[in-house]
């Protein structure tokens, strides 16, 4: 089995596990995650933090994002602009949201595009060393690469439930590891960044 095939199998397995979490438990776990991040996510006022609104059975980051805004963060959301690209548009209080693809919503084209200092990254699986498996389309990988080409190195914080952890993710040379992982059990920092 190739690494790509292994990742696909792990993705399916872990997303099935996530989907099995009852909705009321996902809400409670998401609130617990917000509390862990409050204690562990450090940033200067004015830092740009990308979050995401939940689709399917993802953790709900809206309570966490509200707390980050209260602490002085500028928030943004990913917006799909074509089959290869996401950009990050600033999220203002009471700004209208539009459909942005794959069941997501976000700020419209009138919102400024920003480059995140911290990225809260959705994923399908992760391991104890900070490697992750995304959803398979590569949007975040390409966005991170674009930021690196601008000499930016955003802090990458994976967002998932505990049931999405696996023993080992088959890392490939192009994979960029996470700086940290946030689940309902806590906030873990990783020392390794590159696959």
């Amino acid at each position: 089995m190739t690494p790509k095939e292994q990742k696909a199998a792990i993705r399916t397995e872990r997303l099935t596990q996530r989907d099995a979490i009852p909705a009321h438990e996902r809400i409670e776990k998401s609130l617990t995650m917000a509390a862990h991040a409050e204690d562990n996510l450090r940033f200067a006022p004015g830092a740009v933090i990308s979050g995401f609104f939940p689709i399917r059975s993802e953790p709900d980051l809206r309570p966490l994002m509200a707390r980050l805004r209260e602490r002085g963060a500028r928030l943004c959301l990913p917006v799909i602009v074509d089959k290869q690209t996401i950009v990050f548009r600033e999220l203002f209080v009471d700004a209208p949201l539009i459909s942005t693809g794959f069941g997501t919503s976000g700020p419209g084209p009138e919102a400024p595009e920003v480059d995140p200092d911290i990225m809260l990254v959705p994923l399908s699986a992760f391991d104890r060393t900070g490697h992750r498996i995304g959803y398979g389309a590569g949007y975040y990988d390409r966005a991170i690469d674009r930021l690196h080409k601008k000499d930016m190195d955003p802090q990458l914080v994976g967002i998932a439930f505990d049931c999405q952890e696996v023993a080992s993710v088959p890392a490939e040379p192009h994979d960029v590891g996470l700086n940290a992982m946030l689940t309902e059990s806590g906030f873990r920092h990783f020392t390794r960044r590159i696959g």
Side-chain angles (χ1 to χ4, degrees), residues 4 19 26-27 31 45 51 71-72 95 99 113 115 127 131 148 158-159 167 169 175 182:
K4 185 173 184 173
D19 290 344
R26 286 198 306 269
I27 292 167
L31 291 171
R71 290 175 49 199
S99 173
E113 289 184 16
D115 292 327
D127 67 20
H131 288 106
H148 286 169
I159 305 293
V169 166
D175 289 338
L182 175 62

mmCIF file of all heavy atoms in Angstrom, residues 4 19 26-27 31 45 51 71-72 95 99 113 115 127 131 148 158-159 167 169 175 182:
data_model
loop_
_atom_site.group_PDB
_atom_site.id
_atom_site.type_symbol
_atom_site.label_atom_id
_atom_site.label_comp_id
_atom_site.label_asym_id
_atom_site.label_seq_id
_atom_site.Cartn_x
_atom_site.Cartn_y
_atom_site.Cartn_z
ATOM 1 N N LYS A 4 -0.146 7.255 0.145
ATOM 2 C CA LYS A 4 -1.417 7.908 -0.199
ATOM 3 C C LYS A 4 -2.592 6.974 0.091
ATOM 4 O O LYS A 4 -3.621 7.396 0.644
ATOM 5 C CB LYS A 4 -1.404 8.325 -1.669
ATOM 6 C CG LYS A 4 -2.611 9.118 -2.088
ATOM 7 C CD LYS A 4 -2.472 9.641 -3.503
ATOM 8 C CE LYS A 4 -3.665 10.508 -3.857
ATOM 9 N NZ LYS A 4 -3.521 11.170 -5.137
ATOM 10 N N ASP A 19 -17.646 10.715 13.230
ATOM 11 C CA ASP A 19 -19.077 10.802 12.900
ATOM 12 C C ASP A 19 -19.942 10.093 13.939
ATOM 13 O O ASP A 19 -21.116 10.440 14.109
ATOM 14 C CB ASP A 19 -19.359 10.191 11.518
ATOM 15 C CG ASP A 19 -18.796 11.019 10.370
ATOM 16 O OD1 ASP A 19 -18.444 12.202 10.578
ATOM 17 O OD2 ASP A 19 -18.699 10.461 9.261
ATOM 18 N N ARG A 26 -20.315 16.189 21.014
ATOM 19 C CA ARG A 26 -19.412 17.054 20.242
ATOM 20 C C ARG A 26 -19.444 18.484 20.781
ATOM 21 O O ARG A 26 -18.408 19.139 20.874
ATOM 22 C CB ARG A 26 -19.771 17.029 18.757
ATOM 23 C CG ARG A 26 -19.364 15.761 18.053
ATOM 24 C CD ARG A 26 -19.330 15.909 16.545
ATOM 25 N NE ARG A 26 -20.556 16.403 15.961
ATOM 26 C CZ ARG A 26 -21.565 15.642 15.527
ATOM 27 N NH1 ARG A 26 -21.477 14.317 15.616
ATOM 28 N NH2 ARG A 26 -22.631 16.187 15.001
ATOM 29 N N ILE A 27 -20.632 18.943 21.160
ATOM 30 C CA ILE A 27 -20.753 20.298 21.717
ATOM 31 C C ILE A 27 -19.964 20.399 23.018
ATOM 32 O O ILE A 27 -19.180 21.340 23.219
ATOM 33 C CB ILE A 27 -22.237 20.658 21.949
ATOM 34 C CG1 ILE A 27 -22.950 20.804 20.598
ATOM 35 C CG2 ILE A 27 -22.363 21.951 22.757
ATOM 36 C CD1 ILE A 27 -24.458 20.853 20.698
ATOM 37 N N LEU A 31 -16.558 22.704 23.789
ATOM 38 C CA LEU A 31 -16.438 23.685 24.873
ATOM 39 C C LEU A 31 -15.220 23.388 25.742
ATOM 40 O O LEU A 31 -14.511 24.305 26.170
ATOM 41 C CB LEU A 31 -17.715 23.701 25.717
ATOM 42 C CG LEU A 31 -18.952 24.262 25.014
ATOM 43 C CD1 LEU A 31 -20.209 24.020 25.848
ATOM 44 C CD2 LEU A 31 -18.773 25.745 24.702
ATOM 45 N N PRO A 45 -1.744 40.665 21.124
ATOM 46 C CA PRO A 45 -2.942 41.319 20.613
ATOM 47 C C PRO A 45 -2.725 41.745 19.159
ATOM 48 O O PRO A 45 -1.639 42.203 18.784
ATOM 49 C CB PRO A 45 -3.104 42.541 21.526
ATOM 50 C CG PRO A 45 -2.410 42.149 22.798
ATOM 51 C CD PRO A 45 -1.260 41.278 22.369
ATOM 52 N N GLY A 51 -9.595 30.360 11.919
ATOM 53 C CA GLY A 51 -10.401 29.293 12.477
ATOM 54 C C GLY A 51 -11.213 28.674 11.356
ATOM 55 O O GLY A 51 -10.873 28.803 10.175
ATOM 56 N N ARG A 71 -9.663 38.267 23.519
ATOM 57 C CA ARG A 71 -8.264 38.433 23.936
ATOM 58 C C ARG A 71 -7.464 39.278 22.946
ATOM 59 O O ARG A 71 -6.250 39.428 23.104
ATOM 60 C CB ARG A 71 -7.607 37.058 24.091
ATOM 61 C CG ARG A 71 -8.132 36.284 25.285
ATOM 62 C CD ARG A 71 -7.571 34.879 25.376
ATOM 63 N NE ARG A 71 -6.131 34.806 25.250
ATOM 64 C CZ ARG A 71 -5.456 33.698 24.944
ATOM 65 N NH1 ARG A 71 -6.105 32.565 24.754
ATOM 66 N NH2 ARG A 71 -4.140 33.717 24.838
ATOM 67 N N GLY A 72 -8.112 39.792 21.908
ATOM 68 C CA GLY A 72 -7.425 40.709 21.000
ATOM 69 C C GLY A 72 -7.007 40.133 19.665
ATOM 70 O O GLY A 72 -6.322 40.806 18.891
ATOM 71 N N ALA A 95 -20.637 40.674 10.254
ATOM 72 C CA ALA A 95 -20.443 40.729 8.794
ATOM 73 C C ALA A 95 -21.238 39.603 8.151
ATOM 74 O O ALA A 95 -21.325 38.500 8.706
ATOM 75 C CB ALA A 95 -18.965 40.609 8.442
ATOM 76 N N SER A 99 -21.842 31.297 1.203
ATOM 77 C CA SER A 99 -21.418 29.919 0.984
ATOM 78 C C SER A 99 -20.050 29.952 0.295
ATOM 79 O O SER A 99 -19.851 30.679 -0.668
ATOM 80 C CB SER A 99 -22.427 29.195 0.104
ATOM 81 O OG SER A 99 -21.936 27.922 -0.238
ATOM 82 N N GLU A 113 -8.363 40.061 2.531
ATOM 83 C CA GLU A 113 -7.587 38.832 2.669
ATOM 84 C C GLU A 113 -6.428 39.109 3.616
ATOM 85 O O GLU A 113 -5.792 40.165 3.543
ATOM 86 C CB GLU A 113 -7.070 38.365 1.313
ATOM 87 C CG GLU A 113 -8.165 37.840 0.412
ATOM 88 C CD GLU A 113 -7.652 37.281 -0.904
ATOM 89 O OE1 GLU A 113 -6.427 37.011 -1.014
ATOM 90 O OE2 GLU A 113 -8.474 37.112 -1.819
ATOM 91 N N ASP A 115 -3.084 37.145 6.092
ATOM 92 C CA ASP A 115 -2.198 35.993 6.269
ATOM 93 C C ASP A 115 -2.174 35.629 7.751
ATOM 94 O O ASP A 115 -1.787 36.453 8.583
ATOM 95 C CB ASP A 115 -0.783 36.320 5.788
ATOM 96 C CG ASP A 115 -0.706 36.514 4.289
ATOM 97 O OD1 ASP A 115 -1.460 35.843 3.557
ATOM 98 O OD2 ASP A 115 0.121 37.336 3.841
ATOM 99 N N ASP A 127 -1.077 11.964 14.716
ATOM 100 C CA ASP A 127 -0.353 11.049 15.600
ATOM 101 C C ASP A 127 0.379 11.830 16.680
ATOM 102 O O ASP A 127 0.362 13.069 16.700
ATOM 103 C CB ASP A 127 0.572 10.118 14.802
ATOM 104 C CG ASP A 127 1.738 10.820 14.129
ATOM 105 O OD1 ASP A 127 2.110 11.954 14.524
ATOM 106 O OD2 ASP A 127 2.307 10.226 13.188
ATOM 107 N N HIS A 131 2.213 14.691 13.148
ATOM 108 C CA HIS A 131 1.866 14.526 11.737
ATOM 109 C C HIS A 131 0.345 14.458 11.621
ATOM 110 O O HIS A 131 -0.328 13.991 12.538
ATOM 111 C CB HIS A 131 2.505 13.262 11.161
ATOM 112 C CG HIS A 131 3.973 13.405 10.976
ATOM 113 N ND1 HIS A 131 4.880 12.790 11.793
ATOM 114 C CD2 HIS A 131 4.680 14.123 10.078
ATOM 115 C CE1 HIS A 131 6.105 13.106 11.401
ATOM 116 N NE2 HIS A 131 6.010 13.927 10.369
ATOM 117 N N HIS A 148 4.880 30.072 3.559
ATOM 118 C CA HIS A 148 6.327 29.848 3.689
ATOM 119 C C HIS A 148 7.089 30.593 2.595
ATOM 120 O O HIS A 148 8.167 31.145 2.857
ATOM 121 C CB HIS A 148 6.647 28.355 3.635
ATOM 122 C CG HIS A 148 6.280 27.618 4.887
ATOM 123 N ND1 HIS A 148 6.277 26.249 4.960
ATOM 124 C CD2 HIS A 148 5.906 28.048 6.122
ATOM 125 C CE1 HIS A 148 5.926 25.869 6.189
ATOM 126 N NE2 HIS A 148 5.690 26.944 6.895
ATOM 127 N N GLY A 158 -3.429 21.752 15.161
ATOM 128 C CA GLY A 158 -4.429 20.806 14.693
ATOM 129 C C GLY A 158 -5.631 20.798 15.613
ATOM 130 O O GLY A 158 -5.495 20.952 16.837
ATOM 131 N N ILE A 159 -6.807 20.623 15.024
ATOM 132 C CA ILE A 159 -8.060 20.594 15.773
ATOM 133 C C ILE A 159 -8.769 19.279 15.468
ATOM 134 O O ILE A 159 -9.090 18.995 14.309
ATOM 135 C CB ILE A 159 -8.971 21.767 15.372
ATOM 136 C CG1 ILE A 159 -8.252 23.117 15.534
ATOM 137 C CG2 ILE A 159 -10.289 21.705 16.144
ATOM 138 C CD1 ILE A 159 -7.940 23.502 16.968
ATOM 139 N N ALA A 167 -1.783 5.612 15.836
ATOM 140 C CA ALA A 167 -0.427 5.307 16.307
ATOM 141 C C ALA A 167 0.627 6.022 15.472
ATOM 142 O O ALA A 167 1.608 6.547 15.995
ATOM 143 C CB ALA A 167 -0.196 3.805 16.292
ATOM 144 N N VAL A 169 1.099 8.275 11.539
ATOM 145 C CA VAL A 169 0.668 8.763 10.228
ATOM 146 C C VAL A 169 1.819 8.523 9.253
ATOM 147 O O VAL A 169 2.969 8.861 9.553
ATOM 148 C CB VAL A 169 0.329 10.273 10.286
ATOM 149 C CG1 VAL A 169 0.215 10.873 8.898
ATOM 150 C CG2 VAL A 169 -0.951 10.495 11.077
ATOM 151 N N ASP A 175 5.238 16.695 3.688
ATOM 152 C CA ASP A 175 4.315 16.956 4.791
ATOM 153 C C ASP A 175 4.927 17.911 5.811
ATOM 154 O O ASP A 175 6.094 17.775 6.186
ATOM 155 C CB ASP A 175 3.938 15.651 5.506
ATOM 156 C CG ASP A 175 3.032 14.766 4.666
ATOM 157 O OD1 ASP A 175 2.373 15.295 3.749
ATOM 158 O OD2 ASP A 175 2.980 13.554 4.937
ATOM 159 N N LEU A 182 -4.883 20.362 19.531
ATOM 160 C CA LEU A 182 -5.920 20.639 20.512
ATOM 161 C C LEU A 182 -7.039 19.613 20.368
ATOM 162 O O LEU A 182 -7.614 19.462 19.287
ATOM 163 C CB LEU A 182 -6.482 22.053 20.298
ATOM 164 C CG LEU A 182 -7.669 22.454 21.179
ATOM 165 C CD1 LEU A 182 -7.286 22.454 22.657
ATOM 166 C CD2 LEU A 182 -8.191 23.827 20.759
#
